[in-house]
Each structure stands twice: as C-alpha cells, then as structure tokens.
Amino acid sequence: MRIWSIANQKGGVGKTTSVVSLGGLLAAQGKRVLLVDLDPHGSLTSYFRQNPDNLERSLYHLFFEQRYKDKAFIQTVIKPTSLPNVSLLPATTSLATLERQVSGQEGMGLVLARSLAQLWDEYDYALLDTPPILGVLLVNALAACQRLIIPTQTEHLALKGLERMVHTLKMVMRSQNRQLPYTVVPTLFDRRTLASLTTLKEMRQIYHDSLWSEAIPVDTRLRDASHEGVFPHQLDEQSRGVRAYRHLLQDLEQAEAAREQS
C-alpha cells in the first residue's frame, strides 16, 4: 500500500478536492483506494453524503480501547463510495475533542499507521485528508504516510500557510528521524489574475526543488462534482481540473516508482 497525506495548515486550498480527484483517477486505473478523513469538519465524509454528526462509528473510535489493532472492527467503520473500488474511512465531529481526550497518552501519534497496517493487503493506496491545524490528527497523518502532498492556493496569503506546513514537516521529520518526500501543488490557479501569476512565480523561486511543474486551475466542474457527490472524472473526465489532476497523478507515480527503485 502507498500512503499519501494531503495537508496544509491553511484551509480552503483544495485538500479535499485533491483527495477525491486523485482517488477517483487511481480507481479508474483499477487500483483499490481507501480515502481517510482526519478532519473534524468532515468535508470528505460529507462529500460522499455521510453525515459527520450522526455516524455510529468513525476514525474517532479507533483511538480508544485499542481498536486500531482489530482488523474486523476497522472494516466495520469503512463506508462505500460511488465507485466499487474506493472506500471511505469517515470522520465525525467528535474528532474535535480528541486532542483533549488523548493528551499525554503514549502511542497516540501512531494509531492511524497501526490501523492501516491491518489493511495493508486490502488496498493499493490510502489518501489522507487532514485538518488545517497541528495536533494529534495531523501528526498521525504525517507518521503514517510515505509522501506528503501540499495543495497551496495561488494567492499571497497562502504562502504563509505553506511556510508553516513545511516548517511543521521538518519538525516532525526531526522528531521521527526520517525523511518524508513532499510535493507542493499550486491550486486554484487563474492565469487571468496578477495575484495567481505573481504567487506562482514566488513559489517557483522559493520551493523550486519540491514544486510540481504545473498547477491545478480554477474549474467550476470540480465544484459541480462536489455538489453531485461524485468523483470529478465521473462528471467530466475532460474538464480542465481533471486533466490537471491526471497529470499530477502521473508525476507522483513516476516519483514514487523512482524512489522505490533507488
């Protein structure tokens, strides 16, 4: 299983859209995909018409009573999506209380990694949608993943969020004594605006070694897919946004293959 975290400490940059778009395109290749919602707001969960306010079981429950060790229990938490080879490990709003409940308990940063280890042969990919704050949930995502994808809106204020995210990543890598490759993905790019053009130029100057060579454009079809609760490629496989995410996926897979061979 390949595990990718999609993270940024700024909201509204396209994290959930990236998770759903990449997951759908992987499924179209025949891959078995698990989407994991670690955000108490439950945007990914809501995308697939599950209600984060009243789910009986969710990711939250894996943190208690050693549930992350029980494969059978984990499978009862997982929900289907509109594609047969894509599943959802949903969030509930109770995740917002998790920080206070597990504070100081040993091993809480590895719950997700240990849960996914129980499912290692069940899926080819796990894509993790993360909250925009540093806490036990984001730490779990970074500890579990093999690659970090950082969607970043092409506007000036988003650069600060990107800077914080990279700083957090380096801090976590030092504490875990490992290297975690990351890819910065410019999102919501509008070549008609000076703000987008200027921000993308700044990104290329500062993050040239880790910046994806293209950008995800503003595309209303991505919003339409969310409204319908379907994967973007199901709605319009030739939309600008889907084509861009297809290019991104190709580049990410090439980078993973190269890393695994080295």
Side-chain angles (χ1 to χ4, degrees):
M1 185 195 296
R2 286 176 174 169
I3 305 172
W4 296 346
S5 286
I6 291 79
N8 193 319
Q9 287 178 258
K10 182 182 184 303
V13 298
K15 293 192 299 294
T16 300
T17 298
S18 297
V19 169
V20 174
S21 298
L22 291 171
L25 291 170
L26 283 165
Q29 296 178 1
K31 301 294 195 302
R32 301 165 301 165
V33 183
L34 178 66
L35 308 181
V36 182
D37 193 351
L38 290 109
D39 192 341
H41 290 110
S43 295
L44 181 62
T45 301
S46 298
Y47 192 107
F48 295 106
R49 304 303 186 257
Q50 301 286 337
N51 189 341
D53 292 324
N54 61 17
L55 282 175
E56 183 178 345
R57 290 175 176 171
S58 75
L59 177 76
Y60 169 82
H61 296 90
L62 301 185
F63 283 83
F64 301 100
E65 302 175 22
Q66 306 289 304
R67 291 293 199 175
Y68 60 84
K69 295 180 180 178
D70 186 347
K71 181 177 180 179
F73 178 81
I74 298 169
Q75 289 174 325
T76 68
V77 179
I78 293 170
K79 304 290 185 183
T81 70
S82 56
L83 287 177
N85 51 337
V86 182
S87 301
L88 171 69
L89 183 54
T92 48
T93 49
S94 51
L95 280 173
T97 67
L98 189 64
E99 198 76 36
R100 173 173 49 82
Q101 290 179 288
V102 304
S103 178
Q105 294 185 37
E106 190 173 347
M108 288 296 101
L110 296 173
V111 168
L112 182 59
R114 290 167 176 166
S115 296
L116 293 177
Q118 301 293 324
L119 305 171
W120 200 261
D121 296 326
E122 306 292 324
Y123 298 96
D124 301 303
Y125 282 83
L127 305 184
L128 318 181
D129 192 9
T130 62
I133 55 173
L134 178 59
V136 67
L137 291 166
L138 183 54
V139 168
N140 264 268
L142 295 178
C145 74
Q146 300 140 356
R147 176 173 293 275
L148 177 64
I149 299 163
I150 311 177
T152 304
Q153 186 177 357
T154 47
E155 58 118 39
H156 181 70
L157 291 178
L159 288 176
K160 270 296 176 187
L162 175 57
E163 182 182 332
R164 285 195 298 273
M165 188 66 240
V166 172
H167 174 75
T168 295
L169 173 62
K170 291 179 178 178
M171 181 175 64
V172 170
M173 286 194 298
R174 282 197 300 270
S175 69
Q176 296 178 353
N177 193 28
R178 69 168 182 139
Q179 292 297 311
L180 181 61
Y182 67 95
T183 303
V184 178
V185 178
T187 59
L188 298 167
F189 178 68
D190 187 345
R191 64 176 62 256
R192 299 169 299 179
T193 68
L194 181 61
S196 272
L197 293 169
T198 302
T199 304
L200 185 58
K201 183 178 180 180
E202 285 186 68
M203 286 183 185
R204 286 172 174 161
Q205 290 173 342
I206 301 171
Y207 300 100
H208 53 90
D209 289 339
S210 53
L211 185 72
W212 182 46
S213 59
E214 300 181 42
I216 306 296
V218 171
D219 185 356
T220 57
R221 298 300 276 165
L222 296 174
R223 191 180 302 118
D224 292 342
S226 175
H227 179 74
E228 297 293 332
V230 300
F231 292 90
H233 80 280
Q234 289 180 302
L235 185 71
D236 185 351
E237 64 179 3
Q238 292 304 321
S239 71
R240 291 182 302 146
V242 169
R243 291 201 307 269
Y245 275 112
R246 191 175 287 117
H247 293 166
L248 172 61
L249 179 58
Q250 290 169 354
D251 290 344
L252 290 171
E253 288 183 308
Q254 288 174 5
E256 286 293 288
R259 189 169 72 93
E260 289 168 0
Q261 290 173 4
S262 63

